[in-house]
Amino acid sequence: MKKGYMISLFVVCAVIIVLIGTLMWKRHSVGVPNQQQKNVAEQPNQVEMTKQPQPLAQSPSNTNGASASQAQSINTITTKDTMCIYENIDKKDGTVSMQEEKLPEQYIGLNRKELEAALLEDSRLLVDKAQDKGFQSQHLELFSPEKIKILRIYDTTAETEGYYIMELDGEIRIYKADRETLYFRTELLLQDLPENVQQEIIEGKYMDSELKVYHFLESYSS
């Protein structure tokens, strides 16, 4: 009987050992995948931390805004109600004068680019006009439907020298730059000259050299 008891006790111990071993094996096998899953779950967070922010693409609205601004500039034109401001600067002494008047008819209905071209063309004409003596150039400084501003550059320094062709008692005379000192009298009469030339001489036609005076008189001498 004692021997049977010992055998039963051994069997029970063996069963207990097997059960304990089985439980330990299951616990170990289940724990490893959990750790692996934990490591895999952490990897995406690490990848996200290493990502660099990407530069934002230029918004289409920016380019559309620039295009709209250019289109608006082209479509903006002057009208008969647009005021014209002239800012005149004399390089001789730096004096500045302002003049405001209605927009000249030839500048009505122009956009900025067209107006700049017209001013450039008119600059060539103004250089030759006696009433605009000393004129050098003009530039568009401000443009809007309400008003435009034109900057005109003069240099009257050269007028301290040269000559003026003027009229006195119907006779053409040549004066020095002060417009008072008589240089010489001619045999030409004002009435013998074309009307447009007569008007220039009445206002005082400036010549910057004696040679130009000679050529002018020669062209109208009989």
Side-chain angles (χ1 to χ4, degrees):
M1 182 176 180
K2 185 175 182 181
K3 185 178 179 180
Y5 173 79
M6 292 297 293
I7 293 173
S8 299
L9 181 61
F10 174 78
V11 171
V12 171
C13 291
V15 171
I16 293 174
I17 292 173
V18 171
L19 290 174
I20 292 174
T22 302
L23 291 174
M24 292 296 292
W25 177 81
K26 287 185 176 181
R27 181 177 180 183
H28 178 73
S29 61
V30 173
V32 171
N34 290 342
Q35 183 64 33
Q36 292 177 347
Q37 293 175 0
K38 181 178 180 181
N39 293 337
V40 172
E42 290 178 350
Q43 287 179 358
N45 294 334
Q46 295 175 355
V47 173
E48 291 178 0
M49 293 178 63
T50 58
K51 287 184 179 179
Q52 297 296 326
Q54 298 297 321
L56 295 176
Q58 183 176 5
S59 174
S61 61
N62 293 338
T63 56
N64 293 339
S67 300
S69 178
Q70 293 176 354
Q72 183 179 5
S73 177
I74 294 175
N75 294 330
T76 301
I77 62 173
T78 56
T79 69
K80 62 182 180 62
D81 297 322
T82 303
M83 292 303 299
C84 181
I85 301 173
Y86 292 102
E87 181 176 354
N88 307 309
I89 301 178
D90 192 341
K91 294 170 63 176
K92 176 182 177 181
D93 50 16
T95 56
V96 178
S97 62
M98 304 293 290
Q99 179 183 353
E100 184 174 332
E101 59 185 50
K102 290 185 177 180
L103 187 67
E105 186 176 351
Q106 67 269 26
Y107 297 156
I108 297 176
L110 304 182
N111 60 34
R112 186 185 188 101
K113 187 175 182 179
E114 293 170 337
L115 181 56
E116 288 176 340
L119 290 174
L120 180 61
E121 181 65 25
D122 288 348
S123 293
R124 302 187 181 100
L125 301 176
L126 289 172
V127 169
D128 298 329
K129 285 187 177 181
Q131 61 266 33
D132 290 302
K133 52 187 178 295
F135 174 85
Q136 289 190 333
S137 63
Q138 61 181 0
H139 312 279
L140 183 62
E141 193 174 66
L142 176 66
F143 179 85
S144 73
E146 292 76 27
K147 65 179 178 180
I148 66 169
K149 184 179 179 182
I150 300 172
L151 179 64
R152 284 181 168 177
I153 306 298
Y154 292 81
D155 188 357
T156 59
T157 304
E159 295 180 20
T160 58
E161 302 176 355
Y163 307 89
Y164 277 95
I165 302 175
M166 302 174 68
E167 173 269 341
L168 182 63
D169 297 331
E171 182 184 76
I172 305 302
R173 300 186 182 189
I174 311 302
Y175 290 84
K176 291 188 176 182
D178 59 6
R179 300 171 68 106
E180 295 180 356
T181 304
L182 180 65
Y183 185 63
F184 70 88
R185 298 174 63 174
T186 73
E187 297 180 355
L188 287 175
L189 299 178
L190 183 67
Q191 63 184 16
D192 295 332
L193 302 178
E195 291 185 1
N196 61 322
V197 178
Q198 289 183 28
Q199 185 61 35
E200 290 181 351
I201 292 177
I202 290 173
E203 295 174 352
K205 184 173 182 62
Y206 176 75
M207 296 285 183
D208 59 7
S209 69
E210 186 177 290
L211 182 61
K212 288 185 178 180
V213 173
Y214 172 78
H215 286 317
F216 174 83
L217 296 176
E218 187 180 47
S219 63
Y220 293 106
S221 298
S222 57

